[in-house]
Amino acid sequence: MARIRYNAWSLMLGIWLSAIAPVQAHPHVFIDYQISLVHQGKQIQGFQLSWRVDPMNTSLIMDAFDTNRNGRLEPTEAAQVADNMRESMAEFEFFTELHLNHRRLPIREARDIHTKLVQQHLVYRLFIPCAIPLQKRPQTLSFKAIDPTNYVAFMPMNRPFHVSNKGQLHYTIERQPKSMYEPLLLKVSLR
Amino acid sequence: MKTLILSALCASCWLLPAHAEENPFLPRRAPAAASAAPSPQRTESVDVSPWKQWLEQTQYTLNQELASRTRAAKTGSAPEAWAILMALAFAYGAFHSLGPGHGKCLICSYFVAEQSTLRQGLVLGYLVAIIHATSALAVVSLLYLLLRGSGQMVLSDATRWTSIAGYGLIAAMGGWLLWRALRPERPHDHTHSHGEECRTECTHVGAHAEPHRGEAHRPLWLMALGIGAVPCPGALTLLMFSISLDFLQLGVVLAAMIALGMGVTTTLMAIATILGRQGTLHMLTQATPVTRARAEKWLRVAGACCTLGLGLTFLTLSL
């Protein structure tokens, strides 16, 4: 009898746990990304991101925003794409997770959002500001491109990381992302 | 009392926090006012299992291949290239539906609640996959063949209404299954002839634990319609892509291949559930008829609660 009860409860637990699974989404949008660390003087200014949307989702986005159906994004249409992104992704911190010395940094905004169509791929460029003063002692900085709802999957491009200005920044790459969900790990310090 | 606790446990799954699936790159259904912008969701990402990573990496590769080969097919391809393209769409369907969603949990809940044959598992698994892809085709056809350029409806609106209808039907089916599971047991009548299913499964303890042949087939179509009504986003995206290439015919063929691929996965899940249910009841062959009947009732209630709870959850998220 005890075994029967055990089996019955195990089965119920299995059902209950499997019932939770469908509320997790799975990727429908695939994005190739590049990161550029922007630095000036003794401070990191933020990250310049480039997102290249897969061709299938590009056609969906174009269908929604290319109102005059000419196959191109006019400035007003591109502005609408950017506004839509600002509105819908702010609550997900623009799918960016930043940690400084293992402490999460808030992402409050994205600036200079630009979009253009490049060979059937819609490319978003956006700047994520985060003021990080550089110190003599090395600090650990990590960057992860991730959608908490798991609707969008981010894939690093071949050489995903660049530094746009090497003023007084000294850095070493501890880990370069090579596939989905992998973070970029840096040691940053004042030169 | 135990049944009540179990019902509460199963129903509580729909109270868990959940996200409605929505493409963040497309216009929102209700634009957020600047003053009412939602606060950032500070969810910390967790380590992803190697299995999930492999699955998504495979989908990424298949997605890229499908896009480039579909474009190449537009300019004319050899028959082998078409065969590869169809195989890719089939594989994409199978892999894509391995992830959460696509009705697998609802199918499993249904087969936990209802005594079924393997053939019924095969039928429901494939019906769901076919209706899932057909729904995507219907949405695209509605928007691009009937309402083209009218601006009356956009993709997210059409998807939303089909989702509401589908989830409403699932919730209703869950309610019906629960009512059937909880209704008072009727006195058993041995004057009529039993079908094959009844001979093997009937507990003969004063009530029919399972419906007779024929009665059990009726909800299959309704369940398939409810689960499959929500358009498959993968098929939807592929159809839109083929329209952007002015090659809808190929999109339709590929959507059908995606449905066939999805059918393999959903059918396997359905068959696993049916076998699991039969195995659980088989373990009880030595138990008293009363215990066996009680276990069957628990299975029915649990499956019905999951179906109802999930239907209500997704319906709420769609509204």
Side-chain angles (χ1 to χ4, degrees), chain B residues 32-65:
Chain B
S35 57
S39 55
Q41 298 197 3
R42 305 303 304 277
T43 46
E44 200 75 33
S45 65
V46 290
D47 284 338
V48 175
S49 67
W51 154 250
K52 182 173 160 64
Q53 207 158 356
W54 175 81
L55 186 64
E56 292 179 4
Q57 200 87 24
T58 306
Q59 282 185 65
Y60 169 84
T61 310
L62 287 170
N63 181 286
Q64 302 273 316
E65 282 291 313

Side-chain angles (χ1 to χ4, degrees), chain A residues 32 63 91 99 150 155 181, chain B residues 28 44 52 56 60 144:
Chain A
D32 298 315
D63 178 72
E91 68 177 297
H99 286 87
N150 209 16
M155 184 76 172
Y181 303 109
Chain B
R28 291 193 140 193
E44 200 75 33
K52 182 173 160 64
E56 292 179 4
Y60 169 84
Y144 288 90

Side-chain angles (χ1 to χ4, degrees), chain B residues 262-283:
Chain B
M262 283 194 299
V264 171
T265 307
T266 47
T267 299
L268 284 176
M269 295 297 288
I271 287 173
T273 309
I274 292 167
L275 291 177
R277 189 187 201 275
Q278 286 175 0
T280 304
L281 292 175
H282 182 72
M283 286 192 303

Side-chain angles (χ1 to χ4, degrees), chain B residues 36-295:
Chain B
S39 55
Q41 298 197 3
R42 305 303 304 277
T43 46
E44 200 75 33
S45 65
V46 290
D47 284 338
V48 175
S49 67
W51 154 250
K52 182 173 160 64
Q53 207 158 356
W54 175 81
L55 186 64
E56 292 179 4
Q57 200 87 24
T58 306
Q59 282 185 65
Y60 169 84
T61 310
L62 287 170
N63 181 286
Q64 302 273 316
E65 282 291 313
L66 263 179
S68 62
R69 286 175 187 270
T70 304
R71 194 177 287 125
K74 167 76 177 161
T75 53
S77 299
E80 309 90 74
W82 283 77
I84 291 172
L85 189 53
M86 289 191 197
L88 279 171
F90 180 86
Y92 182 77
F95 278 99
H96 187 64
S97 57
L98 268 177
H102 300 282
K104 292 190 302 297
C105 192
L106 287 159
I107 290 172
C108 293
S109 303
Y110 174 79
F111 285 125
V112 167
E114 291 287 294
Q115 163 65 31
S116 309
T117 60
L118 294 182
R119 196 172 68 87
Q120 285 173 318
L122 186 78
V123 168
L124 184 61
Y126 260 98
L127 267 180
V128 166
I130 290 166
I131 295 173
H132 203 33
T134 308
S135 174
L137 183 60
V139 164
V140 168
S141 305
L142 177 75
L143 292 178
Y144 288 90
L145 301 179
L146 299 178
L147 302 175
R148 191 172 184 117
S150 70
Q152 291 172 23
M153 193 184 264
V154 293
L155 195 65
S156 56
D157 288 333
T159 306
R160 182 184 173 217
W161 287 112
T162 52
S163 301
I164 288 171
Y167 294 139
L169 186 55
I170 291 165
M173 284 292 295
W176 179 74
L177 288 172
L178 189 60
W179 172 79
R180 263 171 50 128
L182 293 176
R183 72 182 165 183
E185 293 170 351
R186 286 173 296 173
H188 194 63
D189 177 11
H190 273 274
T191 57
H192 61 279
S193 63
H194 286 179
E196 185 62 32
E197 279 170 32
C198 196
R199 274 206 300 277
T200 54
E201 294 294 336
C202 185
T203 57
H204 287 211
V205 289
H208 274 295
E210 302 298 342
H212 278 192
R213 186 191 287 253
E215 190 187 343
H217 288 257
R218 275 177 235 144
L220 270 185
W221 272 96
L222 286 174
M223 268 312 278
L225 198 62
I227 300 169
V230 182
C232 169
L236 203 63
T237 311
L238 187 64
L239 284 166
M240 294 295 293
F241 181 59
S242 61
I243 285 175
S244 75
L245 296 174
D246 206 15
F247 204 5
L248 180 61
Q249 303 92 315
L250 179 61
V252 173
V253 173
L254 294 180
M257 293 308 292
I258 286 180
L260 289 176
M262 283 194 299
V264 171
T265 307
T266 47
T267 299
L268 284 176
M269 295 297 288
I271 287 173
T273 309
I274 292 167
L275 291 177
R277 189 187 201 275
Q278 286 175 0
T280 304
L281 292 175
H282 182 72
M283 286 192 303
L284 299 172
T285 44
Q286 302 300 318
T288 63
V290 175
T291 306
R292 191 176 147 87
R294 198 177 287 168

